[in-house]
């Protein structure tokens, strides 16, 4: 007899599909660190200059609070976001709201995929056949997602391990930078710091995937500390990345730098490697891959729960949508518009979490 972890609303997950609480660290961190970290410094510095590193700390604090709320929401429902919506809004309205989350995760998948393909086009293969690379990437991602949640989790673990050596290369620009660029500290108004904090929070999108994979955690209560460790580690990496760019570039230079991290890779020199950014981008593909796979898994998981259909069928549809949409987004302007739109939608999703938290507490108090 198979061991089954029971949840409300008929949701059950086989023991063979569960992951230990420790892996939540890698799931949270891998979803937050992806293609966005390659150029986020330019966006946050627009609002608060080189004081924007302070906004990263404030943004990280906000994410910790939202993560705490997510755990309370999920513990009250003893299920995933579909169960939460059904308990609060009923079958039909709740199902509709859950499908909106599915669309959001699909949008997140498309944004990460198309943005990284643009990185490859700009830095390595200017004449890249877009449809060919998109098709190959989507087939690879489909293979991982259809293999199950534990395979996707393993990818997240590998991505974190592979990403760490690349992050150590920030030592080179720090040596050539000027620390005095960070002074004077707190030279911007509160409103400017708040605007930069908002942009920083958008860089940390990804914790909302916990709303989907929560039932797949063995002893989910014990995973809280690992989730918060994951967010803390993410904030630390973003903080180091931002300070490195602020030390190396002037504010005027940073305004015209789209991919700050990749630009800094150009100064890395080894006797056996002339253009390290090529190697860095190639290795970063394995960091971005779990981003895409986990988001696509979450997007396809929700329709399976709502309509009781096989996840494989939903994956076929979503992969076809990704392939067509990637081919239609060809210019820098359209890709930038996609990133801005996804960030705005992500902000609404994050703002929805406190609303859901309050409604969940009220509903549970009334029913109990």
């Amino acid at each position: 007899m198979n061991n089954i972890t029971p949840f409300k609303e008929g949701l059950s997950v086989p023991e063979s599909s569960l992951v230990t609480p420790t892996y939540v660290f890698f799931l949270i961190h891998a979803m937050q660190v992806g293609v966005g970290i390659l150029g986020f410094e330019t966006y946050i510095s627009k609002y608060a200059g080189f004081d924007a590193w302070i906004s990263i700390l404030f943004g990280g604090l906000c994410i910790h609070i939202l993560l705490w709320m997510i755990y309370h929401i999920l513990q009250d429902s003893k299920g995933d976001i579909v169960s939460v919506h059904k308990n609060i809004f009923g079958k039909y309205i709740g199902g509709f709201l859950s499908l909106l989350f599915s669309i959001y995760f699909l949008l997140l998948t498309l944004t990460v995929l198309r943005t990284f393909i643009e990185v490859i086009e700009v830095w390595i293969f200017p004449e890249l056949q877009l449809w060919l690379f998109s098709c190959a990437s989507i087939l690879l991602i489909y293979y991982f997602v259809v293999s199950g949640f534990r395979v996707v989790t393993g990818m997240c673990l590998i991505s974190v391990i592979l990403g760490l050596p690349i992050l150590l290369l920030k030592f080179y620009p720090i040596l050539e930078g000027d620390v005095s660029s960070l002074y004077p500290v707190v030279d911007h108004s509160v409103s400017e710091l708040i605007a930069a904090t908002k942009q920083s929070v958008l860089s940390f999108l990804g914790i909302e995937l916990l709303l989907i994979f929560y039932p797949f955690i063995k002893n989910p209560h014990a995973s809280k500390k690992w989730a918060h460790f994951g967010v803390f580690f993410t904030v630390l990496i973003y903080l180091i990345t931002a300070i490195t760019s602020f030390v190396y570039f002037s504010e005027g230079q940073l305004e015209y730098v789209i991919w700050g991290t990749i630009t800094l890779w150009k100064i890395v020199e080894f006797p056996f490697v002339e253009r390290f950014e090529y190697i860095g981008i190639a290795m970063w593909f394995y960091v971005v891959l779990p981003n895409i796979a986990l988001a696509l898994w979450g997007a396809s998981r929700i329709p399976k729960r709502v309509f009781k259909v096989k996840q494989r069928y939903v994956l076929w549809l979503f992969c076809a949508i990704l392939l067509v949409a990637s081919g239609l987004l060809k210019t820098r302007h359209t890709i930038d518009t996609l990133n801005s739109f996804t960030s705005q939608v992500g902000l609404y999703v994050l703002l929805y979490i406190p609303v859901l938290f309050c409604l969940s507490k009220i509903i549970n108090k009334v029913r109990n």
Side-chain angles (χ1 to χ4, degrees), residues 204-265:
F204 300 137
L205 290 177
I207 60 167
E208 56 273 24
L209 261 299
L210 178 62
L211 292 165
I212 307 298
F213 66 74
Y214 180 81
F216 287 79
I217 306 171
K218 186 184 296 184
N219 189 13
H221 180 76
S223 69
K224 282 184 181 180
K225 63 180 181 181
W226 294 107
H228 283 285
F229 284 157
V231 172
F232 174 79
F233 190 46
T234 299
V235 173
L236 182 63
I237 287 177
Y238 272 90
L239 182 64
I240 294 172
T241 301
I243 290 177
T244 301
S245 294
F246 295 165
V247 165
Y248 187 80
F249 297 108
S250 67
E251 286 194 37
Q253 290 173 329
L254 199 57
E255 289 181 10
Y256 300 98
V257 175
I258 299 176
W259 307 105
T261 297
I262 302 178
T263 304
L264 291 178
W265 284 343

Side-chain angles (χ1 to χ4, degrees), residues 48-246:
F50 284 179
D51 279 339
W53 66 269
I54 301 173
S55 70
I56 295 175
L57 298 178
F58 290 154
L61 178 61
C62 293
I63 294 298
H64 277 291
I65 294 172
L66 291 174
L67 184 62
W68 175 82
M69 290 182 178
I70 289 175
Y71 266 101
H72 274 268
I73 293 168
L74 294 170
Q75 286 170 355
D76 289 342
S77 71
K78 295 182 172 61
D80 57 10
I81 188 63
V82 178
S83 303
V84 172
H85 281 149
K86 188 174 182 180
N87 291 341
I88 296 176
F89 300 105
K91 180 179 180 180
Y92 297 106
I93 296 178
F96 173 73
L97 292 173
S98 296
L99 290 177
L100 291 181
F101 266 77
S102 177
I103 295 171
Y104 163 65
F105 291 136
L106 183 62
L107 180 64
L108 203 61
T109 305
L110 174 63
T111 303
V112 177
L113 174 64
R114 187 61 188 92
T115 304
F116 191 75
I117 292 176
E118 185 199 20
V119 170
I120 295 175
E121 288 177 316
V122 172
W123 288 90
I124 302 180
F125 300 118
E127 302 299 325
L128 178 71
Q129 292 291 331
L130 176 59
W131 68 271
L132 184 61
F133 189 83
S134 298
C135 185
S137 299
I138 290 170
L139 285 174
L140 180 62
I141 294 160
Y142 170 81
Y143 171 76
F144 285 124
V145 175
V146 82
S147 298
F149 179 71
R150 294 186 71 167
V151 172
V152 176
T153 303
M155 290 173 56
C156 293
L157 169 63
I158 293 171
S159 74
V160 175
I161 294 173
L162 288 177
L164 286 176
I166 303 177
L167 294 171
L168 293 176
L169 297 175
K170 296 187 182 299
F171 177 73
Y172 287 87
I174 289 177
L175 284 180
E176 299 188 19
D178 183 10
V179 180
S180 63
S181 300
L182 299 176
Y183 300 103
V185 180
V186 194
D187 193 34
H188 292 77
S189 65
V190 175
S191 61
E192 289 172 327
L193 288 174
I194 291 174
T197 300
K198 173 188 170 183
Q199 190 64 43
S200 299
V201 168
L202 297 179
S203 300
F204 300 137
L205 290 177
I207 60 167
E208 56 273 24
L209 261 299
L210 178 62
L211 292 165
I212 307 298
F213 66 74
Y214 180 81
F216 287 79
I217 306 171
K218 186 184 296 184
N219 189 13
H221 180 76
S223 69
K224 282 184 181 180
K225 63 180 181 181
W226 294 107
H228 283 285
F229 284 157
V231 172
F232 174 79
F233 190 46
T234 299
V235 173
L236 182 63
I237 287 177
Y238 272 90
L239 182 64
I240 294 172
T241 301
I243 290 177
T244 301
S245 294
F246 295 165

Side-chain angles (χ1 to χ4, degrees), residues 11-42:
L11 175 61
S12 60
V13 178
E15 181 76 19
S16 60
S17 298
L18 299 179
V19 298
T20 58
T22 309
Y23 282 98
V24 176
F25 170 88
F26 301 102
L27 287 164
I28 293 291
H29 177 68
M31 194 61 213
Q32 290 185 304
V33 176
V35 72
I37 200 172
L38 299 178
F40 79 104
E41 311 97 311
T42 301

